[in-house]
Amino acid sequence: MLADASVVILALPAIYREYTAQVADVAWVVTAFNLAIAISAVPAARLATRRPAGQVCAGGLVLFASASAACALAPSLGFLIGARVVQGVGGAAAVCAALELLPEIAGGERRAVRVWAAAGVAGAALGPAIGGLLTQLISWQSIFVAQIPLALIPAVVVFGRGAPVLARRAGVPHIAANIALGLLSAGLAAVLFLLVLLLVEGWRMPPIAAAFAVTAMPVAALVAGPFERRVAGLRTRAAAGALLGAGGVAGLGLLPG
């Protein structure tokens, strides 16, 4: 689930060619999924505290798998975008319920946070390679076919876990931090989208080669992880990360070749 955007982004050039679409239209293949997750997240989180989290997670995964099948069989770009919206709704339910289940499965809140962060970085690192490999060797549809068992297997595992937790009170989110993270994520998603189109459609690189270029970012995050703890102060770390991100994006905007 956490790797979806980085996997699917490698399929966009092939989708762009198959449907003879405009770049702005193809962007909705990623945007529709992310918007559906964002809009569905709060209702999904509330549902996961009122119903057994395992059932909510399993239901979301089954919905995600069903929509993945629809994506693989999409006869048009509009149908594909609609199926991606359904995927996003299922993904929101699965992710929010998984957050309720993780402390129980991992053995504590602190360990759950580490597992969640590791899963996110691993998904982002492996996603482009998997997406590029499947697109080049089989087809872009195979990306969505591969997602079906990856969603259904954990659905069976988590179905019976987690009773409703009505007494838990959610903490107040840090608004400024969430806005900053949202802006950074949006900027990086836009960069990756256009970068993949440039590499594959502009410079005619094979999807696997483009995947290695995209994978450089999450791999760099993995390598930098142990070093960022040496920087004193959360604000200093956040500012340094934002400046490094901005510098990298500026460098991509001035690529000589």
Side-chain angles (χ1 to χ4, degrees), residues 122-198:
L126 295 174
I130 295 170
L133 192 67
L134 289 173
T135 301
Q136 183 168 329
L137 297 182
I138 307 175
S139 67
W140 66 263
Q141 289 92 341
S142 65
I143 288 176
F144 296 105
V145 173
Q147 289 180 340
I148 297 172
L150 293 177
L152 291 180
I153 292 170
V156 175
V157 174
V158 303
F159 179 75
R161 287 182 171 269
V165 189
L166 297 176
R168 182 181 297 172
R169 295 187 62 186
V172 178
H174 194 295
I175 295 175
N178 279 280
I179 291 174
L181 182 60
L183 290 172
L184 180 63
S185 299
L188 293 178
V191 166
L192 290 179
F193 167 68
L194 293 172
L195 180 62
V196 169
L197 285 179
L198 169 66

Side-chain angles (χ1 to χ4, degrees), residues 17 19 26 34 59 61 66 75 112-113 119 128 141 166 178 202 204 214 218 238 242:
R17 288 193 301 270
Y19 294 123
V26 173
N34 291 335
L61 289 168
S66 302
V113 170
Q141 289 92 341
L166 297 176
N178 279 280
R204 298 299 176 185
V214 174

Side-chain angles (χ1 to χ4, degrees), residues 70-87:
C71 289
L73 299 171
S76 66
L77 181 61
F79 187 96
L80 174 61
I81 292 171
R84 290 285 287 164
V85 171
V86 179
Q87 261 194 323

